[in-house]
Amino acid sequence: MLLHWLIFPITQSRVTFIFFIPAIVLATTIAGRGPAVLVAVVGLINSAVMKSPGMLMVPNSAEQVSLISSALVSIMVILVGDYYRSISRRELSDLHELHELSATLAGIAGLSDQLRLILSTFARMHAATQGIICTYPARGDTLSVAASIGFGHEGKPEVRDGGLVFVDRQRVVVADTETDARAAGFRDWLRALGVRAIHSTPLISRDGEILGVLSVHFPEPRRPSDREIRIADICARKAAIFIERARAEELVSQRDRRFQSVLESSGVPFIILSPVHGEAGKIVDFRFLFLNTAAASVMRVRPGEYAGRKVTDVLPRAWDDRPRFDMYVDALEHNEIRQIERQTEADGNANWYHIVASPLDGDLAVWFADITRRKLQERELLDADRRKDEFLATLAHELRNPLAPIRQAATIARSDLATDAQKRWSNNVIERQVQHMSLLLDDLLDVSRITHGTLQLRKQSADLQSILGAAVETARPLIDERRHQLVVEAPDDLQVNADPLRLAQVLSNLLTNAAKYTAPHGSIRVMVAQHDGEFSVSVEDNGIGIAPEELPKVFGMFAQVRSAQEHAAGGLGIGLALAKGIVELHGGRIEAASAGIGKGSRFTVHLPDNVVATMVAPTPAAVRGGNGLSNKRILLADDNRDAAESLAIILRLEGHEVDLAHDGQSALRSFESRRPDVALLDIGMPNSNGYEVARRIRAVPEGRDVLLIAITGWAQDADKIESRAAGFDHHLTKPIEPDALIGLLALP
Ligand code: ADP
């Protein structure tokens, strides 16, 4: 108006009020409808004042029409301006709301709070009082309510697709639930909830997966405006982002939890270390970041106790094990896995660990696999290997020992100059040494039978006294030689149901050991006791004794205690293993006791009570050969001429007639021509072996009654079965006991 009056002297009333419209637009935009109306009224009055009042009164005069049209234009301008003003104000407020939402969401931690805020903002911007946001679980297709407003509790149970929400890839607008067929099934329920219109927007992930749905509900029929659709899209997008983020976080924390629980539940000790750098930038120590339960228990701490502390603070001597420290540093510096086997004393025991260090984002993951048992087994294997080598050396020595006297005695016996006494002496020497060797071989065979479980006991009722007597008889030469004093305390009347030969073998072994491992003029005591359902025989000496740590080992195969080796001409180290095997076959056990080195030893054989026979049964008469029964015609076939001839001499001395053959075919020829009563056949012969010859003899009628005896180096049960199958009556093992053979021949 001011401007108008300023230019009035120039324009006079020729120019109408040109600032009128802009002034109304300005007033509407800035101040709203009211002030704009005021401006328009003032402008119109001003225009009217400038016109001549007489002209204004003239109906349809130009002045009157111009004033009325100015008023109409002002009204239109005010209405249009006000409309655009309200739109821009709402957009501004929308922007403001959405900005507020983003800012607040950034500060909220939990997904359900985030979704609740999105929903409430969304509903407010729709001026809706009811709304629901539903989500699908990460794995599964059951929609569940994440947040709701305006439904109290009733809204929650029935949100399934098609109820309060509609899940589709597209937005679903049910403008009127009374007329829309999609809401047909839920009308009563929707009515009860006061819902008449539904606007559902899907929450879609970046990968196109439907994560859930965002819905608002209205009490009146309604269709969302473009603005509301835009807001729905923005809010749905925001909700999808937060759901995806929460899922990703859940996935990470789930993996974390799994990783943690695997590490925790693993029996393998595991730690994570972070390097501690010194001034020069070199790694000087490590810090514990994590210890699993197994590691904590190995270190005897609670899992959290070491976390964050330097290794040397809690284990000051940890890096005395330099190779291990260097291995950790090396793994970190080269960013490669390194491993090492170390014996550590972390838990107070010197256990062996296979340690694997693996770089982990600048830290070090370290596993400790306990390999103590493997190491022990390795050591045991090495030990067994060493004992086996020692055994072979001893065996070679033991077998070679008798050869020298035998060779010398044979030379003397052959000499024409030797007197009869010298020849007899030589024969004794040879016999003794051969006896010694065959005992050795018997022991070896027995050990092998025990190991293979093929040793059979020949149990019978026998007198313990005579078993002891036989054992003492065997050990007697050594006991006497070393001038020991032997005391045997045993009841006279004890009968046992056992294999007398094997039991005597066990006891003679114990007695021989006692004699061997006791300095001359020692004393040896044998005691028999019966109590607690078992009876025991113990052999006690006052000899070199056994160190406590060696006690458990003495029954092992090839076991020889060092001090014993140094003290006496030890045997093969199989005697006690054999004794243990035989006693166990009887259902008993054998124990060694000693108060220590130099304090003597006691070996006790415990046998169960059922070994003690209740009745005195007659002992079977020993098979004893005689000279006078009946002389036999004997075919003796052996490709070892010396063996054959020497045996022939013995048999002839017994009064038998002996024909010799040195292979299978000549044995058969001799059988046909001479018709012997007895055939002694070696098994391993050229031109038909002993089995073959036996079968051929048995095949002819004249051969049915012939006494067939196999003489062989093969003494396994399987060999005996085979010889019996071939028709042999007896099976004698080389070197044969002449007496046993003579006894067999004496049988009727
Ligand atoms: P060996 O043939 O060496 O005697 P054994 O199996 O009979 O083998 O005995 C095993 C080891 O047990 C012997 O080497 C010896 O060290 C120890 N031992 C056995 N009996 C006695 C004992 N009476 N006193 C001391 N040590 C013994």
Side-chain angles (χ1 to χ4, degrees):
M1 205 137 62
L2 197 65
L3 283 172
H4 183 79
W5 285 115
L6 275 175
I7 61 168
F8 187 77
I10 305 158
T11 58
Q12 294 301 317
S13 59
R14 285 191 302 277
V15 175
T16 50
F17 187 31
I18 56 169
F19 299 109
F20 181 56
I21 297 302
I24 292 174
V25 169
L26 206 65
T28 317
T29 324
I30 296 171
R33 218 168 6 188
V37 170
L38 190 67
V39 169
V41 170
V42 171
L44 286 172
I45 293 171
N46 185 47
S47 298
V49 170
M50 284 194 302
K51 311 268 180 220
S52 66
M55 292 306 286
L56 271 177
M57 293 302 147
V58 178
N60 296 330
S61 66
E63 280 74 10
Q64 206 176 37
V65 169
S66 128
L67 206 63
I68 290 169
S69 39
S70 290
L72 286 175
V73 168
S74 330
I75 291 168
M76 271 166 57
V77 168
I78 288 171
L79 286 177
V80 171
D82 188 51
Y83 173 71
Y84 281 107
R85 181 173 185 269
S86 74
I87 286 184
S88 67
R89 273 174 71 95
R90 205 167 48 208
E91 279 192 351
L92 212 64
S93 115
D94 285 351
L95 266 177
H96 180 72
E97 282 264 19
L98 291 172
H99 176 76
E100 272 290 293
L101 174 64
S102 305
T104 323
L105 277 176
I108 296 181
L111 178 67
S112 60
D113 285 346
Q114 289 161 343
L115 294 181
R116 200 167 298 125
L117 181 67
I118 291 174
L119 178 66
S120 63
T121 308
F122 176 64
R124 195 169 52 247
M125 291 172 85
H126 276 70
T129 50
Q130 290 174 311
I132 285 182
I133 190 159
C134 299
T135 52
Y136 287 109
R139 270 182 295 273
D141 52 4
T142 322
L143 205 57
S144 68
V145 177
S148 76
I149 47 174
F151 286 104
H153 291 301
E154 316 88 71
K156 295 208 168 176
E158 294 249 14
V159 288
R160 67 183 190 277
D161 185 9
L164 274 176
V165 300
F166 289 84
V167 185
D168 198 347
R169 295 214 143 261
Q170 308 290 323
R171 160 192 341 282
V172 179
V173 173
V174 178
D176 187 349
T177 54
E178 293 296 328
T179 53
D180 198 310
R182 288 170 296 185
F186 311 95
R187 256 174 216 140
D188 290 343
W189 178 59
L190 290 171
R191 259 181 230 136
L193 288 171
V195 171
R196 188 70 191 270
I198 302 170
H199 174 198
S200 284
T201 311
L203 311 179
I204 296 181
S205 75
R206 269 169 302 177
D207 302 337
E209 183 196 354
I210 298 189
L211 304 172
V213 61
L214 172 65
S215 294
V216 271
H217 310 80
F218 303 97
E220 300 301 334
R222 189 161 179 305
R223 197 167 268 291
S225 65
D226 288 348
R227 166 188 163 265
E228 285 168 342
I229 285 174
R230 267 198 320 277
I231 291 171
D233 287 343
I234 292 171
C235 289
R237 185 75 217 114
K238 274 194 195 305
I241 288 171
F242 279 95
I243 293 171
E244 274 191 294
R245 192 180 294 168
R247 280 192 185 178
E249 280 168 4
E250 172 57 22
L251 206 66
V252 169
S253 82
Q254 200 177 42
R255 277 194 198 138
D256 246 27
R257 280 198 305 276
R258 276 193 203 151
F259 182 61
Q260 187 104 353
S261 88
V262 166
L263 290 179
E264 280 302 342
S265 59
S266 156
V268 178
F270 169 80
I271 56 176
I272 299 179
L273 297 174
S274 82
V276 176
H277 296 272
E279 280 174 11
K282 287 183 71 177
I283 298 174
V284 290
D285 199 351
F286 286 89
R287 198 181 290 283
F288 288 106
L289 289 188
F290 172 84
L291 289 94
N292 72 352
T293 318
S297 85
V298 165
M299 294 183 192
R300 295 186 197 287
V301 288
R302 275 180 287 111
E305 203 173 308
Y306 278 10
R309 300 179 65 185
K310 276 200 223 162
V311 174
T312 46
D313 283 352
V314 282
L315 302 167
R317 306 201 47 198
W319 305 138
D320 285 1
D321 184 2
R322 210 62 207 168
R324 180 145 67 107
F325 179 78
D326 292 344
M327 188 268 275
Y328 290 173
V329 174
D330 195 44
L332 268 181
E333 286 180 351
H334 291 89
N335 200 26
E336 280 173 9
I337 293 179
R338 293 278 186 272
Q339 33 199 320
I340 198 171
E341 286 184 0
R342 306 297 294 165
Q343 194 171 24
T344 77
E345 289 194 33
D347 55 354
N349 303 317
N351 280 357
W352 277 93
Y353 288 97
H354 179 182
I355 306 174
V356 180
S358 156
L360 186 80
D361 299 333
D363 295 327
L364 203 59
V366 189
W367 280 268
F368 298 78
D370 191 335
I371 51 163
T372 314
R373 189 189 293 201
R374 198 193 81 201
K375 281 282 175 191
L376 281 180
Q377 282 167 348
E378 275 175 16
R379 203 174 294 163
E380 272 166 22
L381 276 179
L382 284 175
D383 214 36
D385 200 42
R386 181 187 53 73
R387 276 190 281 132
K388 184 205 72 196
D389 288 346
E390 278 175 14
F391 165 74
L392 288 176
T394 321
L395 179 62
H397 176 257
E398 288 287 308
L399 289 175
R400 210 176 298 123
N401 258 352
L403 290 181
I406 289 176
R407 194 172 293 148
Q408 287 153 13
T411 315
I412 294 168
R414 221 177 29 233
S415 160
D416 295 337
L417 300 173
T419 63
D420 279 354
Q422 282 171 326
K423 284 184 179 163
R424 261 199 311 282
W425 174 84
S426 311
N427 286 340
N428 283 343
V429 167
I430 292 171
E431 203 169 300
R432 223 178 19 251
Q433 295 300 333
V434 166
Q435 182 79 14
H436 178 72
M437 281 179 91
S438 69
L439 277 180
L440 215 61
L441 292 174
D442 280 350
D443 271 3
L444 280 175
L445 280 174
D446 285 349
V447 162
S448 135
R449 284 186 198 121
I450 286 199
T451 345
H452 291 101
T454 56
L455 188 100
Q456 304 251 325
L457 293 183
R458 293 201 181 79
K459 282 196 184 176
Q460 53 187 263
S461 182
D463 176 20
L464 184 67
Q465 275 288 355
S466 56
I467 293 175
L468 276 172
V472 170
E473 200 182 313
T474 313
R476 177 66 77 188
L478 191 62
I479 294 174
D480 288 350
E481 186 191 316
R482 294 174 73 81
R483 301 201 176 82
H484 295 312
Q485 190 199 356
L486 174 70
V487 178
V488 180
E489 293 167 16
D492 291 337
D493 53 348
L494 199 63
Q495 290 286 316
V496 292
N497 182 19
D499 184 331
L501 289 179
R502 293 296 183 191
L503 214 50
Q505 185 181 356
V506 170
L507 296 173
S508 73
N509 212 309
L510 298 182
L511 279 166
T512 311
N513 275 352
K516 262 200 300 192
Y517 300 116
T518 301
H521 301 287
S523 77
I524 302 171
R525 253 162 77 107
V526 178
M527 283 163 297
V528 176
Q530 201 178 352
H531 50 80
D532 293 343
E534 60 174 36
F535 89 98
S536 59
V537 185
S538 51
V539 177
E540 199 176 280
D541 63 55
N542 61 348
I544 62 168
I546 302 168
E549 67 276 11
E550 302 289 355
L551 270 180
K553 299 187 195 161
V554 292
F555 295 106
M557 196 71 86
F558 317 138
Q560 282 188 322
V561 179
R562 289 252 154 256
S563 61
Q565 282 176 344
E566 286 143 21
H567 269 81
L572 288 175
I574 55 177
L576 286 181
L578 194 56
K580 180 169 181 273
I582 292 173
V583 171
E584 282 173 359
L585 274 180
H586 278 90
R589 64 185 198 287
I590 183 166
E591 285 169 357
S594 169
I597 299 280
K599 305 241 170 85
S601 322
R602 188 176 68 239
F603 286 82
T604 310
V605 174
H606 298 269
L607 290 168
D609 214 13
N610 60 12
V611 166
V612 180
T614 44
M615 276 176 53
V616 177
T619 4
V623 178
R624 183 68 220 141
N627 198 0
L629 281 172
S630 65
N631 291 350
K632 304 255 163 77
R633 178 174 296 160
I634 300 172
L635 162 63
L636 172 54
D638 192 338
D639 61 337
N640 182 332
R641 285 169 191 267
D642 286 346
E645 270 154 22
S646 61
L647 188 57
I649 293 169
I650 295 171
L651 293 173
R652 283 182 189 127
L653 282 173
E654 288 290 310
H656 301 292
E657 202 178 307
V658 183
D659 297 316
L660 284 176
H662 302 303
D663 66 74
Q665 289 307 324
S666 54
L668 280 170
R669 277 197 300 278
S670 168
F671 171 76
E672 277 160 21
S673 58
R674 302 280 294 162
R675 301 273 172 228
D677 307 309
V678 179
L680 297 173
L681 304 174
D682 178 30
I683 297 298
M685 279 188 298
N687 305 328
S688 301
N689 65 22
Y691 294 138
E692 185 56 35
V693 176
R695 269 192 289 273
R696 300 268 293 273
I697 291 176
R698 284 289 187 236
V700 294
E702 314 80 66
R704 298 233 171 93
D705 297 329
V706 175
L707 182 67
L708 285 186
I709 301 175
I711 299 176
T712 164
W714 307 109
Q716 301 287 348
D717 286 346
D719 306 314
K720 291 182 184 165
I721 291 168
E722 192 168 352
S723 73
R724 189 158 291 275
F728 281 105
D729 297 303
H730 299 284
H731 186 110
L732 296 181
T733 312
K734 283 181 183 176
I736 60 161
E737 201 55 71
D739 276 358
L741 178 58
I742 292 162
L744 276 182
L745 295 175
L747 287 174

